[in-house]
Amino acid sequence: MKRQDSQQDVVIRVRDLCNRFGSNRVHEHLDISLYRREILGVVGGSGTGKSVLLRSIVGLHQPDSGAIEVFGKELEALTQEQRSQVERRFGVLFQSGALFSSLTLQENVALPLIEHARLSREDAEHLARVKLALVGLPSHASTMVPAQLSGGMVKRASLARALALDPEVLFLDEPTAGLDPIGAAAFDRLIVTLRDALGLSVFLVTHDLDTLYSTCDRVAVLSEKRVLVAGPLEAVEATDDPWIRDYFHGPRGRAVHRAGPATDGAFE
């Protein structure tokens, strides 16, 4: 997918980002952009700060320096209320799912609709059931609590909650972690379907090669505290770097190439 780095197409622009934890420098002068309606996969070795980068963009971590521009507005220049309005245009799926264990699925998804959209409980739970259906969960799942669900169903319920407020940008932190290959492939296809249907821009942190090949328009590789390379998979694979060679051309990378597209699977 060819992209032009224009103000109109850029949804998120991160420039010169620095993140430090004591003497540990995680990011130094990091630049990255997310374009409208694309799925950007962010990969890197352990400790390269993939999740820290995501948390910095969504406002859960305060960077030491640098600029984060979202929808053409620099976050640091906004008031708290203006920033809150911008962040409501985000949907976030955390690796653990982060569902409330004592609430049913429809109650989990309804909560942001009640708190932020000020809907009545009845209307919020009706919309929650619509969102749960949108991510492929059966109707009876709406009254279940997370402990009654399989791992794949928890991921889908968490995705439904991330979509509750009709976000424009979806952030996914290791969305297929812990899923079996069939469930992970089904979840990957769901992400692409939702992007196409809803016009989402997706910022996807993952280590899963299958996810990269089946979903992403571009891939950004974090290394040496910055983005080493960002572009289509073919360009990233061809980059002369030891970690990239090991990651994309090692045994698991070759296995992904041989396997080709994943077969269909259920949501469990």
Side-chain angles (χ1 to χ4, degrees):
M1 180 180 295
K2 186 176 181 180
R3 296 284 178 178
Q4 297 296 323
D5 190 3
S6 69
Q7 186 64 37
Q8 182 178 3
D9 290 335
V10 176
V11 177
I12 294 173
R13 190 192 308 270
V14 177
R15 291 294 177 264
D16 207 29
L17 188 75
C18 296
N19 275 307
R20 305 181 186 92
F21 296 90
S23 60
N24 182 27
R25 299 185 178 188
V26 178
H27 301 135
E28 288 287 340
H29 311 299
L30 183 151
D31 297 341
I32 194 170
S33 295
L34 174 69
Y35 298 100
R36 193 174 306 279
R37 295 180 65 95
E38 82 163 342
I39 301 177
L40 173 68
V42 179
V43 301
S46 177
T48 54
K50 301 181 293 295
S51 294
V52 173
L53 173 59
L54 184 154
R55 291 170 64 86
S56 297
I57 297 172
V58 302
L60 296 176
H61 173 75
Q62 177 65 45
D64 291 276
S65 61
I68 299 174
E69 190 177 286
V70 181
F71 307 120
K73 300 175 181 179
E74 190 170 331
L75 292 184
E76 281 299 307
L78 301 180
T79 66
Q80 186 59 45
E81 176 59 28
Q82 290 171 329
R83 185 164 181 154
S84 178
Q85 291 295 327
V86 168
E87 290 170 355
R88 288 178 192 176
R89 298 165 73 180
F90 296 162
V92 185
L93 189 157
F94 297 102
Q95 183 174 346
S96 64
L99 295 174
F100 292 104
S101 60
S102 61
L103 300 182
T104 66
L105 297 194
Q106 70 179 19
E107 290 170 338
N108 266 284
V109 179
L111 193 58
L113 292 164
I114 294 170
E115 290 191 349
H116 298 298
R118 306 299 183 189
L119 295 184
S120 68
R121 182 185 180 93
E122 181 181 0
D123 288 343
E125 291 193 350
H126 171 74
L127 277 178
R129 290 191 293 272
V130 172
K131 300 293 183 179
L132 291 166
L134 181 66
V135 300
L137 287 171
S139 58
H140 69 266
S142 64
T143 56
M144 299 170 72
V145 296
Q148 297 174 301
L149 305 177
S150 67
M153 294 176 78
V154 168
K155 293 284 188 181
R156 288 182 182 243
S158 302
L159 179 59
R161 189 178 62 182
L163 295 171
L165 295 174
D166 297 324
E168 296 170 53
V169 182
L170 186 61
F171 293 88
L172 307 175
D173 190 3
E174 299 284 5
T176 58
L179 298 183
D180 64 83
I182 294 175
F187 197 89
D188 288 342
R189 289 192 300 276
L190 174 62
I191 295 303
V192 175
T193 298
L194 290 173
R195 186 278 303 272
D196 294 342
L198 304 178
L200 298 168
S201 303
V202 182
F203 187 100
L204 168 64
V205 171
T206 188
H207 68 278
D208 192 327
L209 278 164
D210 290 303
T211 295
L212 293 180
Y213 282 98
S214 61
T215 68
C216 295
D217 300 300
R218 289 192 306 134
V219 174
V221 177
L222 301 192
S223 181
E224 299 297 327
K225 305 176 179 62
R226 61 187 178 88
V227 174
L228 176 65
V229 61
L233 264 169
E234 296 79 6
V236 173
E237 287 177 322
T239 302
D240 186 15
D241 174 80
W243 188 87
I244 289 177
R245 285 197 300 271
D246 289 344
Y247 184 72
F248 287 100
H249 303 292
R252 294 188 68 184
R254 291 194 295 270
V256 170
H257 280 295
R258 287 196 303 268
T263 57
D264 288 343
F267 56 79
E268 289 87 6

